[in-house]
Structures are given as C-alpha cells and as structure tokens.
Amino acid sequence: MAHQLTVTPALADYISGNSAGEDEILARLREMTAELPAGAAMQITAAEGQLLTLLARLTRARLIVEVGTYTGYSALCFARAVRPDGRVITCDITERWVDLGRPYWQSAGVADRIDVRIGNGADTLAALIDELGPGSVDLVFIDADKSGYSKYFEHALTLVHDNGLIVVDNTLYFGQVADPSTGDPDTLAIREFNAALRDDDRVEFCLLPVADGISLVRRRD
C-alpha cells in the first residue's frame, strides 16, 4: 500500500508543469498579493485555485458563498466557474484588501458576478440565512480567521442544500496540527475543529493533504 508522498521542490515543480496553470490575470493577481505583508502565506496556491474551480464546475454551482475574500483570488476562480446566471457572495472584515482585487475581477469580465459583503463573518452568514433561506447555496468556502471556523461551519451547514459542498481551507495549518508541542490559538482552534468534524454524524467529509490542508464536507441527506 502506497504512503503519502513528501512533496519535494522537484515534485512540486513537476506537478506545476503538468497542471493547467494560471492565466495572465490570475498570475498578475498572485504577484501583486505576494508583495503584501504575509501575502504569499495568506493566498491560496495556484493548484488549490484549480481545485476550487473544478469543484464549482462539478457541482454545477449557481450560488457560492465565500468566507474570507482577501485580494479575491479564490473569488475570481469561483466567479469563472459558476453557471452563467450564477454569483459569488464573498465576505470579509475589511474593504482594504478586497479593493486591490477588484481590477482583476474586472479584467476577467466577472466583476458583476461577485457580491462583496463587509462585516463580521458570523454575522454576515447569519444575515445570508435570513436573506437566502436555509438550503439555498451550492458551495461554501471557508478561509478566514481560524478561531471563527466552528461558527462559520454551523452557518454554512444551514446554508447549503443536501447535495451542497462545504470546502474548508488550512485544516492542516502548516503541519502544526500534528505537532503536540505547538499550542498557539490558531493551531488549537483547527485541531478542535477537525476533531469536531470527524465526530459530526450530520456530515461526511474527507481531509486532503492539498496545499495547507483542505476538508471537503457534504451534509448527509
């Protein structure tokens, strides 16, 4: 039985060279974001962007909710992948970084598909439940402050329909979740979230060693 590979720099280059890659707009957005403080660490990888795009297309998503916009790389991936009449509602605590990404959405011709909501993430999701109704969303992507993951997930579970998908980013958190000597608040929050998800009989899920860890979750019928 094969074990999980360690992704060496050479293997990472091979994967990148044999993947679809980024187009010019996504590449420019990535380069701009990498120049921001902690920008390279906070932005999803190109491979993860490809995965999110594929998941949105496989689920034939018309309505996607994203928690954590940052400069809008994942929002752009989703906006390109939704059905022609679809939209992406993306939530962030500040306009500061979102405004940097808007020109790239416009260059890609999808700015009209992206609806930005600014404010506390849990409050925004609660308002969306009232606005849209339970079971109205095809896909929810959570990539925000780690201490809020449990609250965001509960709201997401209400928002998605039975065959909907919840995607949670950073669930391996730099590998620190497996290091018992690491006890910072973010690592502890992710450990607790992962354990709760494992024991949650309302859902089925898998935790994938992609990028910084991605959990795919489906609400049981």
Side-chain angles (χ1 to χ4, degrees):
M1 177 172 146
H3 295 283
Q4 179 66 41
L5 292 171
T6 298
V7 180
T8 63
L11 186 56
D13 288 343
Y14 177 85
I15 294 169
S16 176
N18 286 273
S19 299
E22 299 171 307
D23 67 5
E24 179 186 357
I25 297 172
L26 284 171
R28 286 194 287 109
L29 177 53
R30 174 175 301 284
E31 291 167 4
M32 182 275 293
T33 304
E35 295 176 358
L36 301 173
M42 291 180 64
Q43 182 170 239
I44 66 169
T45 65
E48 189 174 356
Q50 294 166 21
L51 176 60
L52 295 178
T53 300
L54 182 60
L55 290 172
R57 288 181 174 148
L58 285 171
T59 56
R60 295 185 54 79
R62 187 183 63 82
L63 180 57
I64 294 173
V65 171
E66 175 184 58
V67 189
T69 313
Y70 194 37
T71 58
Y73 188 100
S74 51
L76 175 52
C77 291
F78 283 135
R80 284 173 157 176
V82 291
R83 287 156 54 181
D85 60 341
R87 64 174 171 148
V88 178
I89 301 175
T90 185
C91 318
D92 210 290
I93 196 66
T94 176
E95 291 268 12
R96 181 182 181 186
W97 310 118
V98 177
D99 284 344
L100 296 177
R102 291 183 191 275
Y104 298 89
W105 301 345
Q106 293 165 354
S107 294
V110 295
D112 60 333
R113 298 182 182 181
I114 302 175
D115 178 358
V116 178
R117 308 291 177 96
I118 300 298
N120 174 274
D123 292 343
T124 301
L125 291 176
L128 285 174
I129 292 171
D130 290 337
E131 176 185 337
L132 304 171
S136 57
V137 174
D138 301 301
L139 189 155
V140 176
F141 179 50
I142 300 173
D143 182 18
D145 59 292
K146 311 315 165 195
S147 62
Y149 269 28
S150 294
K151 288 183 180 178
Y152 302 150
F153 178 76
E154 288 302 319
H155 289 312
L157 200 58
T158 299
L159 278 168
V160 294
H161 54 71
D162 285 342
N163 289 313
L165 182 65
I166 301 172
V167 183
V168 189
D169 196 23
N170 305 121
T171 46
L172 293 179
Y173 203 63
F174 303 103
Q176 292 173 188
V177 290
D179 181 358
S181 68
T182 303
D184 64 275
D186 286 340
T187 301
L188 290 176
I190 292 297
R191 281 198 195 117
E192 292 172 4
F193 175 77
N194 288 340
L197 196 57
R198 176 197 63 206
D199 298 333
D200 194 334
D201 59 9
R202 298 172 299 172
V203 302
E204 53 186 355
F205 90 106
C206 64
L207 172 53
L208 302 174
V210 175
D212 194 31
I214 297 175
S215 291
L216 304 182
V217 187
R218 175 186 176 274
R219 189 176 70 181
R220 294 186 188 275
D221 294 342

